[in-house]
Amino acid sequence: MSNLKAIRDRIDSVKNTKKITEAMRLVAAAKVRRAQEQVTATRPFADALAQVLYGLQNRLRMEETDLPLLKQRDVKTVALLVVTGDRGLCGSYNSSIIKKAEQRAAELKEQGLKYTFVIVGRKATQYFQRRNEPIAAKYTGLEQIPTAEESGKIADELLSLFFSDTVDRVELIYTRFVSLISSKPVIQTLLPLTPQGLEVQDDEIFRLIVRDGSFQVEREAVTSPAKADFPRDMIFEQDPVQILDSLLPLYINNQLLRGLQEAAASELAARMTAMNNASQNASDLMKTLTLSYNKARQASITQQILEVVSGANALG
């Protein structure tokens, strides 16, 4: 009987665990929808900004402008902006991006270049602090869905490091959202900018849908607005170079915000997948435990019957 009680207790424990993992999966799904809405909401501004920069690029021939954010200089120190999460329970999401950052740091070291980390997320902060790696700044406790205000603070720190010649290049290491079951750690150069990097490019956005009772992601190609040159007789109240100098930080902030949004969506999707797998494993374990319980219960009943029969035969 004690064995039956132990199995029943374990079945109850697994049931409670499944309820928790299923609830966490649904919460992550709701937050993925919020991330999707935020990506869609920021697109009009990004498109308008890209159009203005494209027009200024054609008007000014930016290769000849002397703007700090466009100036290519000898690289001695690189800032690695690493984006991870504050929490676990999301599969290999955090470990994959940390591994990518370590590989990039090793490559820079082999090239004789110095590096420093700017870290977003508690997981990477704890990891690199334990290894005494150089950390210029760290950001934890951000909103689950990054905001423009938060990306602005991070962008200001990066610009400060770049303008002060503390670093000569800034690279963003984050996880690009591919699907609910797939994400890809990538490296993107944020600073310095190149004229080619300011061109309007076609992009795509993801949409979380429910089909046949399960979550799925559809990716929709979004064509950027047509590139429109400024009229040749357009008169600027300010020097176009000054306008461009003011807009480039906004562009960097926008690029950083998109990267943070992609990373957040990747983390939430990874958590959805991990919790879904945990729920499935709990269901499988419950089936196994229920079978074991039924076998043990049947064996106990059989044993009790045999004892009754034996006792009756002994009395007879």
Side-chain angles (χ1 to χ4, degrees):
M1 292 298 294
S2 61
N3 185 39
L4 290 175
K5 184 179 184 303
I7 296 176
R8 283 199 305 269
D9 291 343
R10 192 173 180 193
I11 291 175
D12 291 339
S13 177
V14 173
K15 284 183 178 178
N16 293 332
T17 300
K18 183 180 178 181
K19 291 179 181 178
I20 294 173
T21 56
E22 186 64 17
M24 294 181 66
R25 183 182 74 88
L26 294 175
V27 169
K31 290 183 177 179
V32 169
R33 289 183 184 274
R34 286 179 55 200
Q36 165 189 312
E37 293 171 357
Q38 192 159 349
V39 169
T40 305
T42 57
R43 174 165 295 280
F45 174 78
D47 289 342
L49 179 61
Q51 276 192 305
V52 173
L53 290 175
Y54 177 78
L56 288 172
Q57 175 184 358
N58 286 348
R59 173 66 67 89
L60 297 175
R61 298 178 60 192
M62 288 196 304
E63 294 84 350
E64 300 178 0
T65 59
D66 186 20
L67 294 176
L69 293 179
L70 298 175
K71 184 177 181 181
Q72 303 290 327
R73 59 198 191 206
D74 293 337
V75 178
K76 298 178 182 178
T77 306
V78 179
L80 300 177
L81 174 59
V82 184
V83 182
T84 61
D86 286 333
R87 298 180 296 165
L89 299 178
C90 50
S92 61
Y93 169 79
N94 290 312
S95 59
S96 296
I97 201 68
I98 289 174
K99 182 178 179 181
K100 187 76 171 179
E102 284 189 313
Q103 291 176 347
R104 182 54 180 162
E107 292 175 359
L108 294 174
K109 192 173 182 179
E110 289 179 359
Q111 297 172 11
L113 302 177
K114 297 180 181 179
Y115 64 88
T116 185
F117 288 107
V118 177
I119 301 177
V120 177
R122 188 173 291 108
K123 289 298 182 180
T125 300
Q126 294 172 345
Y127 182 87
F128 289 114
Q129 280 182 336
R130 287 196 298 266
R131 287 157 180 79
N132 296 320
E133 292 283 3
I135 300 177
K138 54 183 180 292
Y139 301 88
T140 59
L142 273 63
E143 294 290 336
Q144 185 70 69
I145 308 301
T147 63
E149 181 180 359
E150 291 172 334
S151 66
K153 292 180 180 178
I154 300 173
D156 288 344
E157 177 65 27
L158 297 175
L159 291 172
S160 176
L161 292 172
F162 186 76
F163 287 144
S164 64
D165 292 336
T166 303
V167 301
D168 304 301
R169 188 169 69 216
V170 177
E171 296 179 355
L172 170 62
I173 305 177
Y174 71 104
T175 307
R176 177 171 295 166
F177 183 87
V178 179
S179 68
L180 287 178
I181 59 175
S182 177
S183 58
K184 180 182 179 182
V186 296
I187 301 176
Q188 175 185 344
T189 300
L190 284 180
L191 292 170
L193 294 170
T194 59
Q196 293 76 18
L198 297 178
E199 294 178 353
V200 181
Q201 297 179 353
D202 290 343
D203 202 352
E204 58 183 7
I205 59 176
F206 64 91
R207 298 187 184 279
L208 181 64
I209 62 173
V210 178
R211 180 177 294 165
D212 297 330
S214 61
F215 291 109
Q216 296 183 19
V217 167
E218 288 185 348
R219 299 192 74 89
E220 175 185 352
V222 178
T223 303
S224 300
K227 303 175 182 178
D229 293 333
F230 292 150
R232 301 307 301 176
D233 58 350
M234 177 179 286
I235 299 175
F236 294 94
E237 292 186 1
Q238 285 182 293
D239 185 349
V241 175
Q242 294 179 352
I243 298 176
L244 184 62
D245 193 29
S246 300
L247 291 180
L248 288 179
L250 288 177
Y251 178 80
I252 293 172
N253 187 13
N254 182 260
Q255 291 292 98
L256 179 56
L257 178 59
R258 290 299 302 274
L260 293 176
Q261 290 173 341
E262 290 262 348
S266 299
E267 179 187 358
L268 293 169
R271 185 166 290 109
M272 278 183 59
T273 301
M275 294 301 100
N276 183 66
N277 292 338
S279 297
Q280 185 61 49
N281 291 338
S283 297
D284 295 340
L285 182 56
M286 285 170 56
K287 292 179 181 179
T288 302
L289 290 173
T290 301
L291 182 61
S292 298
Y293 177 80
N294 291 336
K295 289 181 178 179
R297 185 169 178 271
Q298 184 63 46
S300 176
I301 294 173
T302 302
Q303 180 64 30
Q304 291 176 6
I305 293 174
L306 289 175
E307 290 176 355
V308 171
V309 173
S310 298
N313 290 336
L315 291 175

